[in-house]
Amino acid sequence: MTWDSKPPGPLPPGIAADESGELARRKFAEPPHPYRTPFARDAARILHARAFRRLAGKTQVFARLPGDPPSDHFRSRLTHTLEVTQISRTLAHTLGLNAELVEALALAHDIGHPPFGHAGEKALDHVLSAKGLGFDHNLHALRIVTWFEERYAAFRGLNLTLGVREGIVKHSRDYSAFDHPELAEYFLDQRPPLEAQLIDLADEIAYLTADLDDGLDSGILTFAQVRDGVPLFRRFHDSVLVDYAAAAPKLTAYEALKRILNALVTDLMNEVRRRVTAIGATTLEEVRHAPERLAALSQAMEAERAAAKEFLYLNFYNSPGMAEAHTHATYVVEGLFASLMDDPSLLPADHQAQIPTEGLARTVADYIAGMTDSYIEQLWARYGVH
């Protein structure tokens, strides 16, 4: 597939999530808005949430090189979210799906992440496992939008529609009713709508190209290293050199990454169309009862994506400088968790009030998960185990 291949036409209209049906239902009834759909209102509520704003202060992969001050150029969790949202809306518009539902889900897809990126999430899950618990950023995101956000006089949480809450829970994985009876209302025995399924792939596409970009810009990855280790990049970069032989190396790299992103998105559109056609689906119910998720890359492109991701793990995510940052993140999260468990009076009053119902360990984890990188560093310096 070339980077500028033409996408397919829209899917059958009955597959798109219906904003006037069950998925538009809210826990607390509200009158309809005079000129905004239910999913558009949800997107706005997420956008205006405090938890969304805090994404600006949370690491995506890294915020600085070892020994350097933070950089304004590398992606934060917020800028990554905006990139996923742009890709997701493009997918939804082209495939004829509900773009407003997709936008709401893309904006919310990382809202449950703790500080320090995946290293912080692993550390929080590790300390909770010793208490017989665990940390799942999808389920924490659900807690944020249904409980922790307080912006409305009539109800606690954001009172999002069922469709958005289901997508927050299920966009990237399935949950069993046996293990999670508390999620019973989210159709756990069915596939999520295509709008939700697309988010996980848009996320993969966004961070694959962005992390190659940030890796090159930071100098952690070298140009030759990426060309040698990522065949997908080398192939598109070769085509760029034919078109722009005199361009600066940095610009040819940017051009290659742009073409990779376009190729991945186009491939995803074509594969979704192929899978929908293969099972003859024309309604959302048929999508829900499909034998597998219908949002996927083609077999050939998935192999390219997996190879590029493996390269990033070996040479970027787990590089020596990044390992140092991950060790520090683990030390900070575990140290602060231990201090707050030892002295719950250090928790804010609203979190202390949560202990009788949620338990101390979950309450401490909820508090830490909501922190930005800079704020957890401040509290760790004040209260952490050193």
Side-chain angles (χ1 to χ4, degrees):
M1 171 174 299
T2 61
W3 73 275
D4 57 351
S5 297
K6 302 301 181 186
L11 299 171
I15 286 177
D18 183 1
E19 59 198 17
S20 62
E22 182 181 23
L23 291 181
R25 176 170 53 83
R26 302 183 189 276
K27 182 177 180 181
F28 303 99
E30 297 182 51
H33 195 276
Y35 52 84
R36 289 191 299 162
T37 69
F39 298 145
R41 295 177 75 185
D42 283 358
R45 290 179 183 192
I46 295 163
L47 187 66
H48 289 277
R50 294 179 71 185
F52 185 82
R53 292 197 296 276
R54 288 198 298 269
L55 295 177
K58 295 191 178 189
T59 294
Q60 174 62 17
V61 177
F62 68 108
R64 71 182 78 193
L65 299 176
D68 289 348
S71 171
D72 295 330
H73 296 157
F74 305 132
R75 269 86 173 175
S76 67
R77 189 66 69 176
L78 178 62
T79 56
H80 162 74
T81 294
L82 297 177
E83 290 174 354
V84 173
T85 302
Q86 180 269 318
I87 293 170
S88 300
R89 284 193 65 96
T90 298
L91 287 164
H93 278 302
T94 306
L95 291 172
L97 298 173
N98 193 310
E100 291 176 337
L101 173 57
V102 163
E103 180 176 20
L105 293 176
L107 290 171
H109 87 280
D110 269 356
I111 205 168
H113 271 287
F116 298 137
H118 290 291
E121 183 172 11
K122 288 180 180 178
L124 203 51
D125 186 60
H126 175 72
V127 293
L128 283 175
S129 68
K131 309 293 182 182
L133 303 170
F135 185 83
D136 181 315
H137 73 266
N138 290 342
L139 302 186
H140 187 68
L142 183 67
R143 288 160 61 77
I144 288 172
V145 301
T146 58
W147 184 253
F148 288 119
E149 285 291 328
E150 295 183 85
R151 301 187 63 84
Y152 300 94
F155 45 78
R156 181 136 184 180
L158 300 181
N159 199 30
L160 302 181
T161 60
L162 177 61
V164 172
R165 285 181 284 123
E166 179 194 4
I168 287 173
V169 172
K170 293 164 57 181
H171 72 274
S172 61
R173 58 162 292 190
D174 299 319
Y175 295 84
S176 73
F178 178 81
D179 293 330
H180 294 278
E182 76 280 7
L183 302 177
E185 68 178 304
Y186 300 121
F187 316 104
L188 297 187
D189 60 339
Q190 301 176 32
R191 308 290 177 198
L194 268 176
E195 286 86 353
Q197 295 184 37
L198 287 174
I199 300 302
D200 191 43
L201 275 298
D203 185 25
E204 292 274 348
I205 291 169
Y207 75 66
L208 176 68
T209 51
D211 293 351
L212 287 170
D213 185 11
D214 282 351
L216 286 167
D217 269 359
S218 67
I220 295 176
L221 298 176
T222 68
F223 189 71
Q225 188 180 21
V226 175
R227 274 189 56 89
D228 290 343
V230 185
L232 182 64
F233 179 87
R234 182 170 63 251
R235 217 167 37 252
F236 280 106
H237 188 253
D238 285 344
S239 71
V240 170
L241 293 179
V242 172
D243 295 338
Y244 302 103
K250 178 178 285 191
L251 296 181
T252 63
Y254 291 158
E255 183 69 24
L257 291 173
K258 182 190 75 173
R259 295 184 182 191
I260 290 172
L261 192 153
N262 275 287
L264 287 165
V265 169
T266 304
D267 181 89
L268 174 56
M269 290 175 182
N270 281 314
E271 182 64 12
V272 169
R273 178 73 178 192
R274 188 193 70 77
R275 291 186 174 213
V276 168
T277 302
I279 66 168
T282 59
T283 67
L284 174 56
E285 283 306 302
E286 289 168 329
V287 170
R288 284 194 177 281
H289 292 93
E292 61 182 350
R293 291 192 177 216
L294 300 177
L297 295 168
S298 67
Q299 187 175 3
M301 187 61 87
E302 173 58 23
E304 299 267 25
R305 184 207 64 80
K309 187 172 182 177
E310 182 179 9
F311 169 87
L312 284 168
Y313 267 101
L314 290 173
N315 299 283
F316 186 33
Y317 305 146
N318 295 326
S319 64
M322 295 299 293
E324 180 182 330
H326 294 166
T327 299
H328 176 71
T330 301
Y331 188 55
V332 171
V333 170
E334 292 185 352
L336 185 59
F337 184 87
S339 293
L340 295 174
M341 289 290 294
D342 288 342
D343 187 358
S345 69
L346 299 176
L347 292 165
D350 57 341
H351 280 75
Q352 291 185 40
Q354 184 181 311
I355 295 173
T357 56
E358 300 299 321
L360 178 58
R362 178 62 66 191
T363 300
V364 171
D366 286 341
Y367 183 43
I368 290 175
M371 297 178 184
T372 60
D373 292 17
S374 61
Y375 187 69
I376 193 173
E377 293 275 15
Q378 292 173 34
L379 286 196
W380 175 71
R382 191 182 312 164
Y383 303 133
V385 177
H386 299 286

